[in-house]
Amino acid sequence: MKAKFTFNNGFGLIEIVVTLGLIGTLFVASFPLLAMTLQQIRRAENESRATFLGQDAIEAAKNLRDQSWGSIEALDASELYHPTIQNGEWAFVLGTEALELIFTRSTQFFVVERDENGTIVESGGTIDPNTRKVESKVTWTEQGSARETKLITYLSNFAFADGFIETFTQTNQTDFAKGSGTSTDIFRSPGNIRLDYTMLKGENFNSYANGGDPTGWVDTKADFSLAQDDALFKIYDVDTKVFGSRGNHRDVHSHLVQAGSDAWTNYEVSGRFFLEDEDDVFGITFFSKYPTADKYYSFANIGDDGTLMMSGRGTSLTSREGGWDSGVTPEEETWYRFRVQVKDVNAQTHIAGKAWKASEAEPASWQTTSFDDSATRSSAGTIGMWVSAGDDVYLDDVEVRSLASYTTPGVYESMLFDTTTPSHFDTMTWEADMPQGTSVEVRLRTAASQGLLLSAPWYGPTSGGDAYTQNTVSQKINSIHSGDRWMQYQVTLATTNAPVSPSFEEIHITYAEK
């Protein structure tokens, strides 16, 4: 028997064709998905790489901060920078940088503002000089679209974290009295420094010989006589030269007589006096008509218990708030300082005065105020002294200054201050009252030692040619001072309006151990 075979050739071919068709369809359909997957992988790789590059710049900024906060301070907040290595250390240079063919990297160091609670705010706050906002940005183009990664951090000057900052502060007369006035006179009142009034006469008597007569002083005889006798008051050497009277004299006077002194008005007279015995009488006279007429006002120890009080001779006074009496009784063998202002105001003569031990601080307020509105009042005149004593009475450091104008400019130099260690000087904040037409400038100098400080140059915030001029604003101190130990500040006050003066009221300088 023959074998019988059957072949299904058509069915096998169709199956193959269908299978190949399905595979082709699936393969074509997978192309977009595959392309999208590859794009996502590439994007993830780019984003990861951009983040790494951005973080690398942030770490470079932190390293720069650790090397020197001054390097961070020096970077302009409006500019773009990129990190680089210089002399083995991180640095930031201007401009962006291209990396790995597709990336562009930049870093910006923004200033930071804080509100009154210390919270960081976008605007309207006070600049914090010890914090910077660092923004590191990496950009690239991908499939025709711009892409970027941005990292932000805040850097702080750790040396000035709470607990590390020290502050040098001066706010009152005791503080300001430790400094000096140079160039022109500075007046240190209980709460500020201002320009001094224009000098009409200044006399400390040191240029005269012992036993001599100072120029321009005219002595008149006892009992309020107008007759001249220049043997009554002389120069005496009592460790320093002074002007005064020795021996038993009753109601004698010596007055300053120079060109125009009889017409002096609206002025301040100040100085110091000494009584050998508490029963001696001394008075400073002002708006005086001597030696042509027996008429003046005086601030003399003629009150109850020998207190210094205001009085008028040839006219009368009416007390104002504070009265005629200062309440100060001069002790014997003790130097006292005095200050008297006298003004011709609206048909009245206004007088204010105070006195205090020379070894103590000047009182903040006037101790006595009074006025004269009588028909016999004086509205101008010279200054002098009245003595009725059996012992030594001395006058010294006499100054007469016009209340109508100020000297300008005036320069004040502070005390020398020792921080005790090499320091980084951070910020300066000062406050002043500056009426229109006035100005205040502050400068600083530092040195490694007290001896070097006295010859060190003065600097402003950027150079020796500028000054700190922003009232009530915290200003960054010039980094040239970093590492020094001794410090001194200088204040220059000026006015273009003669009757008006600025007043410097306080200063705060922060520093920390370097």
Side-chain angles (χ1 to χ4, degrees):
M1 176 186 276
K2 292 184 178 177
K4 188 177 184 178
F5 297 95
T6 302
F7 295 95
N8 296 317
N9 294 333
F11 177 81
L13 181 61
I14 292 172
E15 184 179 57
I16 291 170
V17 169
V18 170
T19 300
L20 290 174
L22 288 173
I23 293 173
T25 300
L26 290 173
F27 187 72
V28 171
S30 69
F31 272 143
L33 180 62
L34 180 61
M36 184 178 299
T37 301
L38 292 174
Q39 288 177 7
Q40 290 176 341
I41 292 172
R42 188 179 301 110
R43 178 176 298 175
E45 289 177 344
N46 287 342
E47 288 178 348
S48 176
R49 189 59 184 165
T51 300
F52 173 81
L53 294 173
Q55 187 62 46
D56 182 59
I58 293 290
E59 292 302 318
K62 291 179 179 179
N63 273 278
L64 184 64
R65 182 270 316 274
D66 294 341
Q67 291 166 198
S68 169
W69 180 255
S71 299
I72 298 290
E73 291 177 315
L75 299 175
D76 190 329
S78 64
E79 297 286 356
L80 297 178
Y81 295 87
H82 67 271
T84 187
I85 297 292
Q86 293 181 348
N87 299 321
E89 292 186 335
W90 281 109
F92 278 78
V93 295
L94 281 169
T96 62
E97 64 176 332
L99 296 169
E100 301 178 7
L101 300 178
I102 66 169
F103 297 109
T104 299
R105 181 169 65 177
S106 64
T107 307
Q108 196 163 2
F109 295 79
F110 296 96
V111 296
V112 172
E113 297 184 22
R114 296 183 186 271
D115 63 17
E116 63 275 9
N117 298 315
T119 302
I120 293 176
V121 293
E122 288 297 320
S123 62
T126 300
I127 292 176
D128 177 0
N130 292 303
T131 305
R132 283 290 187 102
K133 175 185 174 182
V134 182
E135 180 181 287
S136 178
K137 184 164 65 175
V138 179
T139 62
W140 70 98
T141 300
E142 186 178 287
Q143 298 294 315
S145 299
R147 307 283 297 174
E148 75 171 29
T149 293
K150 186 186 297 182
L151 300 179
I152 295 175
T153 191
Y154 289 85
L155 298 183
S156 296
N157 182 7
F158 292 135
F160 286 88
D162 290 342
F164 291 89
I165 302 174
E166 300 286 348
T167 303
F168 169 82
T169 298
Q170 290 198 312
T171 60
N172 56 48
Q173 186 181 30
T174 301
D175 293 335
F176 295 140
K178 298 172 184 176
S180 65
T182 60
S183 298
T184 55
D185 288 340
I186 292 291
F187 178 73
R188 292 175 284 270
S189 71
N192 58 50
I193 302 170
R194 63 163 171 77
L195 292 170
D196 215 338
Y197 296 114
T198 301
M199 183 83 77
L200 298 175
K201 180 67 176 181
E203 191 75 271
N204 64 12
F205 307 107
N206 284 330
S207 62
Y208 297 103
N210 191 32
D213 288 312
T215 302
W217 289 83
V218 175
D219 308 344
T220 49
K221 292 183 177 181
D223 299 321
F224 301 100
S225 171
L226 299 178
Q228 185 170 336
D229 182 359
D230 283 334
L232 297 175
F233 293 83
K234 297 291 182 183
I235 298 295
Y236 297 101
D237 193 341
V238 289
D239 295 329
T240 185
K241 301 290 182 57
V242 297
F243 183 46
S245 172
R246 286 180 173 176
N248 190 6
H249 300 293
R250 180 178 177 84
D251 298 322
V252 294
H253 299 79
S254 185
H255 281 84
L256 183 62
V257 179
Q258 66 178 49
S261 62
D262 59 336
W264 284 347
T265 188
N266 295 347
Y267 61 75
E268 177 180 278
V269 56
S270 62
R272 63 180 189 137
F273 69 91
F274 175 95
L275 305 180
E276 187 177 32
D277 190 281
E278 62 184 11
D279 293 328
D280 295 335
V281 172
F282 164 85
I284 189 73
T285 63
F286 42 94
F287 274 19
S288 176
K289 302 303 182 183
Y290 266 71
T292 59
D294 180 20
K295 186 176 183 179
Y296 56 69
Y297 301 104
S298 69
F299 189 35
N301 58 328
I302 57 175
D304 295 339
D305 301 320
T307 53
L308 288 158
M309 64 176 293
M310 293 295 177
S311 66
R313 183 166 180 82
T315 187
S316 60
L317 287 176
T318 300
S319 69
R320 303 171 69 192
E321 183 179 353
W324 296 288
D325 201 312
S326 69
V328 176
T329 301
E331 299 174 8
E332 61 185 33
E333 299 186 349
T334 303
W335 281 100
Y336 281 79
R337 291 199 171 274
F338 65 87
R339 189 179 304 279
V340 174
Q341 287 188 357
V342 57
K343 305 175 185 178
D344 177 25
V345 181
N346 297 327
Q348 293 183 339
T349 301
H350 290 196
I351 304 172
K354 53 183 165 181
W356 64 98
K357 286 184 178 180
S359 60
E360 298 176 354
E362 179 179 349
S365 304
W366 297 110
Q367 298 162 339
T368 169
T369 55
S370 55
F371 69 93
D372 183 0
D373 59 358
S374 68
T376 58
R377 76 183 183 93
S378 288
S379 58
T382 190
I383 63 103
M385 66 171 156
W386 161 37
V387 171
S388 188
D391 298 286
D392 299 351
V393 177
Y394 303 130
L395 176 68
D396 195 19
D397 297 339
V398 179
E399 291 186 355
V400 185
R401 293 181 177 271
S402 170
L403 299 178
S405 63
Y406 292 92
T407 56
T408 188
V411 180
Y412 169 83
E413 295 180 0
S414 76
M415 61 179 286
L416 310 183
F417 180 70
D418 181 11
T419 67
T420 73
T421 185
S423 299
H424 175 78
F425 296 89
D426 187 43
T427 62
M428 174 189 297
T429 308
W430 54 265
E431 294 187 19
D433 179 30
M434 294 188 291
Q436 186 173 2
T438 68
S439 64
V440 174
E441 296 181 346
V442 182
R443 293 175 177 83
L444 187 71
R445 66 179 178 184
T446 59
S449 67
Q450 183 176 2
L452 292 174
L453 182 63
L454 296 176
S455 59
W458 298 101
Y459 283 93
T462 62
S463 70
D466 63 359
Y468 301 91
T469 58
Q470 299 181 51
N471 187 14
T472 73
V473 176
S474 178
Q475 297 165 86
K476 199 67 182 173
I477 290 176
N478 194 325
S479 60
I480 197 169
H481 302 294
S482 185
D484 286 338
R485 169 173 169 172
W486 285 83
M487 175 195 72
Q488 183 183 33
Y489 70 88
Q490 179 193 74
V491 183
T492 301
L493 298 92
T495 181
T496 58
N497 185 3
V500 180
S501 170
S503 62
F504 185 81
E505 297 169 355
E506 62 182 86
I507 186 169
H508 308 273
I509 297 173
T510 62
Y511 64 94
E513 181 178 350
K514 185 173 174 61

